[in-house]
Amino acid sequence: MSMKGCSDHQIFDTKNVDVGQNVTLNCSRDHRWHSTNLFWIRLVSQSFPEVLGSTISHNSPTIKKTHHITTKQEPGTFVLHINRAQLSDTAVYYCIKVRECKMTFLKGTFLRVKGPDPGITGVTQDFLSNPVHPGAPVTLQCSVLSNSENRTCTEDHSVYWYRAKPDESHPSLIYSQGNNSNYCEWSPEAPSKQKCVYSFSRNVTCSDTGTYYCAVATCGEILFGNGAKLDIEVVHHWDVQKTNTVLTLLCVALSITAASLQTNTETTREEQQIQQYRRGLSTHPCGAPVFSVIGG
C-alpha cells in the first residue's frame, strides 16, 4: 500500500531589474484548494509588512490595483505585476497561503531595482587638524572618485554636508551645493578615472563641534563619506571666573590686613598718651594733672 501526499514547495529567489522595467511575479495556485486564501505582501526594512493583494484559491476574477502594482488571478497562478518599477520597489515580496488559520510561505523574491550606474567608486573626506580655536576658518573637503567606463548616468552630483553631534539623535543638514562648487581632474595613469573635490569653508564657533559627513546624491543613489571630526578648543569661562574670585579674595585679605595694621598703630598711640598722663599725675606736687599736646 502506498500513500501519496502533497506538500507546498517553498521557493526563494533574487531578481534584479532596472528602473522603469516591468516586473511580474507568479505564485502557484490550485483551484481545488478549499477555504484557502492567497496574499502578496511586501517587506521593506524598518517598515511593517504591506499587503499588496489577496484572492481566494478557486477561480475568481479578483483584481486589486494599488498605484503601479496590480494583483490578479490567472490560470493556475496568482500574479503580482509592477508597472515601471521604481527604486522604492526594492524589497522582499512573499506569496502566502492561509488555510484554517495556518500560514504558509509559498514563494519569496528579493527584488532589487537598480538605477543608472553613476560610476562612483568612492567618496572620501580629508581629516581636519584638531583642535581649532573659535573664530578660526575651517575648510571641509569631499573627494568623489569615479570611473567613466562604468558610468551609464550623466546626471550631475549634488553634495550635502551633515553634522552629527553626541547630544543629537539624528544628523542635521548644514549645507548643500551643486556641481559648480568643485574642481575635477583626470588621472594621468588612467584617463577614464576622475577625481572631483567639493569643499566649503566657515568660521567655526563653540557650537560647531561634531563629526561632518558629505553625502553625494546622483542617479537615484546617495553615497556617504567616511566623516571628519571637528573639535573646538574653548577657554572655559569657569576658569576665568575662578581666577577673578581668587584675586577678589586676595584683595579683600590685603584690605583687612592693612586695616588691622592701622588699628594697631592707633591703639599704640592712645596707650602712649595714657601712660604720659599717668606720669604727669604722679610727679605734680599738687596732684593736679598736666596736659600737654603730644607731638605738638
Side-chain angles (χ1 to χ4, degrees), residues 177-290:
Q177 60 191 129
N179 195 46
N180 57 349
S181 302
N182 70 296
Y183 69 88
C184 297
E185 59 183 5
W186 297 95
S187 171
E189 294 83 9
S192 62
K193 297 185 182 300
Q194 186 186 44
K195 177 181 179 181
C196 294
V197 179
Y198 298 82
S199 62
F200 84 96
S201 301
R202 66 189 302 173
N203 294 331
V204 298
T205 64
C206 297
S207 61
D208 288 327
T209 298
T211 303
Y212 290 75
Y213 297 91
C214 68
V216 181
T218 182
C219 305
E221 294 187 12
I222 185 167
L223 298 94
F224 284 86
N226 52 314
K229 187 177 181 181
L230 175 63
D231 290 326
I232 310 297
E233 185 175 13
V234 181
V235 177
H236 296 287
H237 295 290
W238 66 270
D239 290 335
V240 178
Q241 183 178 3
K242 183 178 180 180
T243 302
N244 291 337
T245 301
V246 171
L247 291 176
T248 301
L249 293 176
L250 181 59
C251 291
V252 171
L254 291 174
S255 300
I256 293 174
T257 302
S260 177
L261 291 175
Q262 183 177 1
T263 302
N264 292 336
T265 302
E266 292 176 354
T267 303
T268 302
R269 289 180 179 177
E270 291 178 357
E271 290 179 351
Q272 289 176 353
Q273 290 179 354
I274 295 173
Q275 293 296 331
Q276 187 173 355
Y277 174 73
R278 289 177 178 176
R279 286 196 299 269
L281 287 177
S282 61
T283 57
H284 197 275
C286 297
V290 177

Side-chain angles (χ1 to χ4, degrees), residues 32-37 97-104:
R32 295 171 298 179
W33 291 340
H34 298 288
S35 302
T36 303
N37 296 87
K97 172 185 174 184
V98 179
R99 181 181 181 185
E100 296 179 353
C101 297
K102 180 182 179 182
M103 180 182 298
T104 304

Side-chain angles (χ1 to χ4, degrees), residues 1-6:
M1 179 178 178
S2 63
M3 297 181 61
K4 291 185 178 181
C6 61

